[in-house]
């Protein structure tokens, strides 16, 4: 646990990236606290890299299990990147620090929109939330259409490769599954921008850059016909639960909870407190939480463009085409905007 918010605060957007705590109080006791905290957090960060390394070894191998695991991961992500060009993006949120989603998107050839701008030294730009990738189909007039294979992606609690230096939030060039000790690991991890597991997470989300990230989360949910799909989230974070509860005050919204278990009663406690049974769907159990079953039976299949469907129907009725009506219309006609929140650590 941290010694207290007054003794050691996170850097602000206008700061220089250094923690003001030791400057305000100083002394041997303060230095001992800082050293102990940094040692503990360094051990925590170092433990994340072997997790990535194990995942990479399993996914990158040519064994039958490795190929199957890679196909499952890419199929899972493609389910949310296959969006009708006239529909809004799906937004994926995660509370995890590791970068399995990013690695999976690379494997699947998906583009991520996450507010970071730049190739060699990506910088977090709060003004880039509405930046997107569109295209104009040849021979079709009208507004540009969304390019397929693109996801909006937000890491609500930060990432192992985020750094805050000189008032700027950047993403460091750390390969997936890097071997510790890695030179890009922070020397003073307590002064980075990750929200570590601690009782003060609720307060820390009001600071930069998390205020912007949680504003994205709230804005994505607080609209009519929004759907939130929670996979593996254990409902243990009050600051996230508060946003979900607020979403359910809109009658047309819906919450889908997919989980291996009841997370020690937290899911049941949350749903009973909210009391929105008509707006909540529970898929709890080993069958639903199992990724192969989820991908095969429950996740959306490729959506077909409604305009293309109507054109096919028109040509068919005129006798100019004998092609069958493509499947997947149900996904194309969906009016809601699904969103994903995941936390595999609590599965």
């Amino acid at each position: 646990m941290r010694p207290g918010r007054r003794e050691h605060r996170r850097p602000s957007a206008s700061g220089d990236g250094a923690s003001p705590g030791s400057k305000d109080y100083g002394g041997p006791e303060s230095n001992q606290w800082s050293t102990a905290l940094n040692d503990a957090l360094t051990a925590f960060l170092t433990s994340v890299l072997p997790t990535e390394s194990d995942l990479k070894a399993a996914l990158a191998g040519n064994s039958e299990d490795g190929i199957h695991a890679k196909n499952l991961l890419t199929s899972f992500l493609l389910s949310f990147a296959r969006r009708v060009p006239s529909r809004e993006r799906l937004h994926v949120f995660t509370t995890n620090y590791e970068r399995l989603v990013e690695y999976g998107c690379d494997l699947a050839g998906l583009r991520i929109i996450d507010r970071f701008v730049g190739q060699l030294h990506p910088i977090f730009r709060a003004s880039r939330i509405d930046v997107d990738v569109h295209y104009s189909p040849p021979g079709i007039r009208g507004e540009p259409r969304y390019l397929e294979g693109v996801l909006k992606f937000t890491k609500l609690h930060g990432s192992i490769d985020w750094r805050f230096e000189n008032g700027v939030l950047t993403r460091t060039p750390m390969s997936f599954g890097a071997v510790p000790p890695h030179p890009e690991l922070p020397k003073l991890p307590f002064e980075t921008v990750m929200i570590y597991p601690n009782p003060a997470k609720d307060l820390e989300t009001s600071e930069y850059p998390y205020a912007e990230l949680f504003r994205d989360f709230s804005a994505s949910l607080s609209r009519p016909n929004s759907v939130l799909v929670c996979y593996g989230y254990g409902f243990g974070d009050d600051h996230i639960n508060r946003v979900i509860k607020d979403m359910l005050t809109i009658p047309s919204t819906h919450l889908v909870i997919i989980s291996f278990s009841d997370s020690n009663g937290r899911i049941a406690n949350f749903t009973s407190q909210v009391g929105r049974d008509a707006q909540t769907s529970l898929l709890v159990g080993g069958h639903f939480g199992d990724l192969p079953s989820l991908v095969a039976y429950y996740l959306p299949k490729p959506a077909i463009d409604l305009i293309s469907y109507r054109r096919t129907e028109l040509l068919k009725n005129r006798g100019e085409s004998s092609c069958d009506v493509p499947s997947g219309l149900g996904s194309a006609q969906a009016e809601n905007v699904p969103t994903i929140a995941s936390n595999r650590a609590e599965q």
Side-chain angles (χ1 to χ4, degrees):
M1 292 177 58
R2 296 184 181 178
R5 299 294 298 173
R6 290 187 59 195
E7 290 186 80
H8 211 141
R9 302 189 305 272
R10 288 195 175 275
S12 64
S14 59
D16 58 1
S19 173
S22 59
K23 296 179 182 179
D24 292 342
Y25 291 88
E29 185 176 352
S30 175
N31 293 333
Q32 290 176 1
W33 269 109
S34 299
T35 301
L37 285 168
N38 279 306
D39 289 344
L41 294 177
T42 297
F44 172 77
L45 287 178
T46 304
S47 69
V48 177
L49 290 180
T51 301
E52 288 191 352
S53 180
D54 292 343
L55 289 169
K56 183 178 181 179
L59 293 168
N62 292 323
S63 66
E64 183 178 346
D65 290 340
I67 294 173
H68 180 58
K70 181 172 66 175
N71 290 339
L72 280 177
L73 176 60
T74 55
S75 296
F76 177 81
L77 295 171
L78 283 170
S79 296
F80 304 105
R82 291 163 172 164
R83 193 66 170 165
V84 176
S86 58
R87 299 293 181 189
E88 290 188 56
R89 298 281 181 214
L90 300 186
H91 205 145
V92 177
F93 298 89
T94 182
T95 57
N96 292 339
Y97 309 123
E98 38 74 18
R99 298 162 296 167
L100 179 61
V101 173
E102 296 95 308
Y103 183 68
C105 286
D106 286 350
L107 292 176
L110 302 178
R111 183 186 298 270
I112 290 177
I113 298 176
D114 59 0
R115 283 190 171 190
F116 281 90
V117 178
Q119 298 296 322
L120 299 178
H121 195 62
I123 297 176
F124 182 86
R125 303 289 187 185
S127 60
R128 296 302 193 271
I129 182 58
D130 291 326
V131 171
D132 211 319
V133 184
H134 299 80
Y135 75 101
S136 298
I140 299 179
R141 296 182 179 181
E143 296 183 1
R145 312 170 85 182
Y146 290 105
L147 187 69
E148 285 191 81
V150 180
L151 283 175
K152 287 188 175 181
F153 183 57
T154 297
K155 306 190 78 167
L156 293 172
H157 287 169
S159 181
I160 190 174
D161 55 358
W162 288 12
R163 300 290 177 269
F164 189 87
E165 298 174 344
N166 300 319
V168 177
L169 174 61
T170 63
R171 188 171 60 222
T172 61
M174 184 188 300
S175 61
F176 183 75
V179 178
H182 193 276
E184 289 297 339
L185 281 175
K187 302 298 185 295
L188 300 174
F190 191 71
E191 297 175 359
T192 64
V193 293
M194 284 175 54
I195 294 181
Y196 299 98
N198 73 91
K201 285 192 292 186
D202 200 348
L203 293 175
E204 292 177 354
T205 56
S206 64
E207 301 181 14
Y208 180 87
Y210 300 102
E212 283 76 10
L213 302 180
F214 273 84
R215 189 179 300 119
D216 295 348
F217 184 49
S218 180
S220 295
L221 301 185
S222 301
R223 293 185 294 176
N225 300 311
S226 293
V227 176
L228 174 66
V229 180
C230 295
Y231 179 46
Y233 173 58
F235 289 85
D237 292 319
D238 290 338
H239 54 291
I240 294 178
N241 296 346
R242 189 179 305 115
V243 178
I244 299 175
K245 289 178 182 178
D246 190 56
M247 176 197 79
L248 292 174
T249 61
I250 303 175
S252 61
T253 59
H254 200 85
L255 171 66
V256 180
I257 301 174
I258 305 173
S259 178
F260 278 99
S261 66
D262 190 30
S263 299
N264 296 321
R266 290 195 299 267
I267 293 178
N269 183 58
F270 175 84
T271 55
S272 63
Q273 285 184 359
V274 173
R276 301 275 179 166
D277 294 342
Q279 295 174 247
T280 306
S281 297
L282 297 177
L283 302 175
V284 180
H287 171 73
F288 299 111
D290 183 57
L291 187 60
S293 298
L294 186 65
V295 170
Y297 303 114
Y298 300 103
L299 291 183
K301 297 301 183 286
I304 182 173
D305 187 350
L306 190 57
I307 296 177
S308 300
Y309 174 82
R310 289 174 176 171
R311 179 177 179 275
T312 301
E313 277 287 276
L314 180 61
L315 293 176
K316 184 178 179 180
N317 293 335
R318 289 178 177 176
E320 299 179 19
S321 174
S322 59
C323 62
D324 295 329
V325 177
S327 60
L329 178 60
S331 299
Q333 291 177 324
E335 293 294 334
N336 50 18
V337 183
T339 308
I340 304 301
S342 66
N343 189 347
R344 290 176 298 281
E346 295 189 13
Q347 286 184 358

